[in-house]
């Protein structure tokens, strides 16, 4: 099975699974509870042990936003690099094709 077929098979299974779920919120509650949110609260409490709960919540929100902004930055950088590599490869292929064309043309002219 190639990667496209495997991806389609996994998507199909996910759609069927969600189709059989009536209470989506309940299905994802445990994951949400154990999600990054608690990690950010723990980090905020470590950084500011004497802060109030409101202050801890504010710091945790900032930590979460910083985390996702960093992920977005890394993603944008990766997309830019990939795009540049694809453009370079495309230019290289075009130059190779042009060189082959010129070589075949000059070979015909010499004969």
């Amino acid at each position: 099975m190639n990667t496209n077929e495997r991806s389609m098979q996994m998507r199909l299974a996910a759609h069927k699974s969600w189709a059989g779920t009536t209470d989506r919120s309940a299905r994802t509650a445990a994951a949400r509870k154990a999600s990054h949110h608690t990690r950010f609260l723990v980090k905020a409490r470590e950084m500011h042990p004497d802060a109030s709960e409101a202050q801890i919540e504010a710091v945790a929100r900032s930590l979460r936003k910083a985390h996702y902004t960093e992920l977005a930055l890394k993603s944008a950088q990766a997309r830019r690099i990939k795009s540049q590599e694809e453009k370079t490869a495309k230019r290289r292929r075009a130059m190779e094709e042009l060189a082959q064309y010129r070589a075949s043309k000059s070979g015909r002219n010499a004969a």
Side-chain angles (χ1 to χ4, degrees), residues 43-99:
K43 181 70 174 172
R45 285 189 181 104
E46 288 173 5
M47 293 172 68
H48 305 284
D50 298 330
S52 69
E53 275 306 303
Q55 291 169 326
I56 294 296
E57 287 287 333
V59 171
R61 273 193 306 275
S62 292
L63 288 170
R64 187 183 75 247
K65 288 178 183 181
H67 172 74
Y68 285 109
T69 301
E70 182 178 26
L71 289 179
L73 174 62
K74 288 179 179 181
S75 175
Q77 289 170 336
R79 287 191 311 272
R80 178 182 44 79
I81 290 168
K82 182 178 178 184
S83 174
Q84 289 172 340
E85 289 172 350
E86 288 172 353
K87 287 177 184 176
T88 301
K90 187 176 180 179
R91 278 191 216 111
R92 186 175 52 252
R93 284 190 304 272
M95 294 300 287
E96 289 170 358
E97 289 175 12
L98 182 59

Side-chain angles (χ1 to χ4, degrees), residues 3-54:
T3 55
N4 286 338
E5 291 172 344
R6 182 157 173 73
S7 177
M8 288 171 62
Q9 186 179 40
M10 291 187 305
R11 240 181 293 137
L12 175 63
H15 286 306
K16 285 181 176 182
S17 176
W18 280 110
T21 302
T22 53
D23 189 353
R24 291 173 175 235
S25 182
R27 179 175 170 178
T28 59
R32 282 194 318 276
K33 185 177 180 187
S35 72
H36 292 302
H37 181 70
T38 47
R39 180 179 76 163
F40 297 125
L41 284 172
V42 168
K43 181 70 174 172
R45 285 189 181 104
E46 288 173 5
M47 293 172 68
H48 305 284
D50 298 330
S52 69
E53 275 306 303

